[in-house]
Amino acid sequence: MTRVILITGASRGIGAATVRLAAQRGYAVCVNYRSSAEAARTLVAEIEQSGGRAIAVAADVALESDVIRLFRTVDNELGTLSALVNNAGILEPQADVDSMSAARLQRVFATNVFGTMLCAREAVLRMSTKRGGSGGAIVNVSSMAARLGSPHEYVDYAASKGAVDTFTIGLSKEVGDAGIRVNAVRPGLIDTDMHASGGEPGRIERLKGSVPMQRGGTADEVANAILWLLSDEASYATGTFIDVSGGR
Ligand code: NAP
């Protein structure tokens, strides 16, 4: 039976790289995105041209009604969900904490924390062997920022990823006897559009000297770690983290 995977925030960057690798490994893939419909459609067409199966579904993971619709669409169009990658994440322009508005904090936590938790909830409802499901695996995309704190850049974002780490540990313990493994990856400086969202497209160039490996990473390098955690090769790994950060 074809395994079904849902990857949030998958229209570009790490999410899109994870879609491509999952399709290569034989998963039927749901490509979730918030607003980049054209990019998501192009990615789905690419997967289909290579003989894979994929659908694109617009949904804002910060909105509970969107999340419920997203998972129902996967049920109806792809079948039984066996893997979830909570990848959707945002950051806001670089700023010190003393100038962060409540609205900004709410936006960052709504997508990065509440979105992750709501999607995990829907996945558990479907995967749990205690609820008649067949088990599954969840990978949360956290960040090295959870450990580094991102001073003078985005402490709000870093704190949201700290919440993702704690959620990963707690949920893994809650569903360890329900056939579900829950793990996270913590990427370091990865070459995607995200740094431009923070107002500094050249951020990796500026900071790569602080990385022991002296370079930024690629979205493919993160996708490889995600797919390993989802695979049967990681069958005894839960509540754990892979730092994909060149040693930073
Ligand atoms: P990116 O290039 O900015 O892509 C973000 C993706 O998330 C886009 O597909 C975007 O879709 C989607 N998205 C944003 N908000 C969403 C929402 N509320 N609902 C659904 N989709 C949403 O980012 P990336 O660098 O690939 O980052 C992916 C993940 O890795 C994030 O969780 C990020 O925090 C984490 N990470 C990245 C780095 C890095 O250096 N790049 C480092 C550590 C951790 P639309 O375009 O449709 O809005």
Side-chain angles (χ1 to χ4, degrees):
M1 204 171 65
T2 307
R3 291 164 302 165
V4 173
I5 186 169
L6 165 59
I7 302 168
T8 67
S11 59
R12 61 172 187 264
I14 292 168
T18 308
V19 166
R20 290 189 179 94
L21 194 58
Q24 277 171 30
R25 303 265 168 98
Y27 283 95
V29 189
C30 176
V31 177
N32 159 252
Y33 64 97
R34 184 179 48 184
S35 54
S36 302
E38 190 49 41
R41 264 200 299 273
T42 304
L43 182 56
V44 165
E46 181 191 319
I47 302 299
E48 287 173 344
Q49 273 155 23
S50 326
R53 175 139 167 67
I55 59 170
V57 181
D60 182 342
V61 298
L63 299 177
E64 185 173 28
S65 55
D66 274 25
V67 169
I68 290 169
R69 176 177 51 76
L70 169 63
F71 278 79
R72 285 194 182 141
T73 306
V74 172
D75 296 340
N76 295 334
E77 296 194 23
L78 293 179
T80 306
L81 185 75
S82 60
L84 166 67
V85 181
N86 271 315
N87 170 75
I90 58 165
L91 48 70
E92 300 249 338
Q94 294 175 2
D96 281 8
V97 172
D98 58 14
S99 65
M100 287 180 188
S101 68
R104 168 183 168 132
L105 300 181
Q106 262 154 6
R107 285 193 297 274
V108 170
F109 276 73
T111 292
N112 297 3
V113 183
F114 301 163
T116 295
M117 295 179 74
L118 289 170
C119 288
R121 180 191 74 191
E122 292 303 307
V124 167
L125 286 170
R126 287 159 174 79
M127 294 172 178
S128 171
T129 52
K130 294 181 175 176
R131 294 174 164 272
S134 308
I138 298 172
V139 172
N140 297 324
V141 180
S142 173
S143 171
M144 286 309 290
R147 297 176 65 183
L148 299 170
S150 307
H152 306 300
E153 290 191 317
Y154 9 72
V155 170
D156 53 346
Y157 168 85
S160 76
K161 293 299 187 177
V164 169
D165 284 5
T166 305
F167 176 65
T168 301
I169 293 166
L171 182 64
S172 71
K173 292 177 178 172
E174 207 166 285
V175 299
D177 62 351
I180 306 172
R181 294 184 301 104
V182 186
N183 293 292
V185 294
R186 279 190 294 234
L189 296 167
I190 308 300
D191 187 11
T192 72
D193 294 340
M194 181 167 248
H195 308 283
S197 311
E200 189 185 0
R203 182 167 174 261
I204 294 181
E205 206 44 43
R206 173 171 64 86
L207 291 174
K208 70 179 186 191
S210 66
V211 180
M213 288 180 71
Q214 297 290 304
R215 67 170 178 89
T218 66
D220 287 341
E221 289 175 312
V222 181
N224 275 316
I226 293 171
L227 264 294
W228 183 78
L229 284 169
L230 292 174
S231 76
D232 292 340
E233 289 181 7
S235 54
Y236 200 50
T238 196
T240 195
F241 300 82
I242 298 183
D243 293 344
V244 187
S245 64
R248 188 165 181 248

